[in-house]
Amino acid sequence: VATQRRIGSREIVIVALCSALYAGLGILGAIFTFAPGGVTLFYLPEIFILPAAIWFGVWGMLGAGFGTLLFSPYFGYGFLPGLLVAAADLLSPGIVGFTVKTLKVDTVMRTKKAFAVYAVACLIGAAAEAIAGEWVLVAIGLTTVGAIPYGALVWWVGDITAGLILAPILLRALTPFFKRSGLYYDKFFSVRRGSSIIEG
């Protein structure tokens, strides 16, 4: 087992690919926009980023942050305000990924119990992200305090519809592959070195 905690090329590639996929799905998902700031009723990136946070731990989660930065000019608020939006966007995958890893949930979602734990984490994570995100949009001038309830509800619904309907399909289909390939991270905070793993 390796003894030094260093980020390697594997983690950098995972973050880069997750960021690119998140950004691409975010731009594509703009067709479902129902509230200021790109808030949608079906948030396409959530379909991918929740499984990514479960497969790759913190490295998958970071794709939500960098991906948000990449598409922030597309939604009209630029890179600097995008930093704040990116911080909010980390909450849902962070909460879901950390919960599933910590509670050692069956990530193939083969049981009702596994899906129930995942679903509760998804509901809580989406709520935290929606509320924090709406306050960020107020701070950068894209919405008002009075509009927060509507915007947060749309944001929450957009996250949970994608996260509960299609993300579990990806988990069932691709988790076995990532486990066989050695790309799967057993802990949320960990660094891999070939066949070795350092736990955080």
Side-chain angles (χ1 to χ4, degrees):
V1 177
T3 58
Q4 297 181 350
R5 296 169 182 261
R6 293 179 299 180
I7 298 172
S9 58
R10 184 196 301 259
E11 286 75 38
I12 293 172
V13 169
I14 287 172
V15 172
L17 289 176
C18 288
S19 300
L21 281 169
Y22 189 92
L25 289 170
I27 293 171
L28 182 62
I31 60 175
F32 298 104
T33 297
F34 278 82
V39 178
T40 75
L41 273 174
F42 193 83
Y43 192 52
L44 289 180
E46 202 79 352
I47 298 169
F48 164 74
I49 204 62
L50 296 186
I54 292 171
W55 296 326
F56 314 124
V58 66
W59 312 111
M61 178 200 76
L62 287 174
F66 290 112
T68 297
L69 282 178
L70 288 173
F71 70 51
S72 56
Y74 181 86
F75 285 109
Y77 44 78
F79 291 117
L80 190 57
L83 284 170
L84 296 175
V85 181
D89 279 350
L90 291 172
L91 289 174
S92 181
I95 289 171
V96 172
F98 182 78
T99 300
V100 168
K101 295 288 195 187
T102 302
L103 297 181
K104 301 186 184 302
V105 175
D106 174 19
T107 51
V108 186
M109 301 293 148
R110 287 170 290 204
T111 67
K112 291 180 180 178
K113 180 181 178 180
F115 180 76
V117 174
Y118 166 82
V120 170
C122 184
L123 292 170
I124 294 171
E129 180 179 306
I131 293 169
E134 281 299 310
W135 278 106
V136 166
L137 295 181
V138 170
I140 63 178
L142 285 182
T143 189
T144 64
V145 173
I148 285 178
Y150 170 73
L153 177 62
V154 173
W155 191 317
W156 183 72
V157 169
D159 277 5
I160 64 171
T161 51
L164 293 181
I165 296 172
L166 294 180
I169 296 175
L170 276 188
L171 286 169
R172 287 186 65 86
L174 297 180
T175 298
F177 164 75
F178 285 118
K179 286 187 173 183
R180 289 194 304 269
S181 68
L183 292 172
Y184 186 86
Y185 287 67
D186 291 322
K187 299 287 185 180
F188 189 71
F189 297 104
S190 57
V191 179
R192 281 191 175 276
R193 288 289 177 275
S195 59
S196 300
I197 184 167
I198 306 166
E199 305 299 353

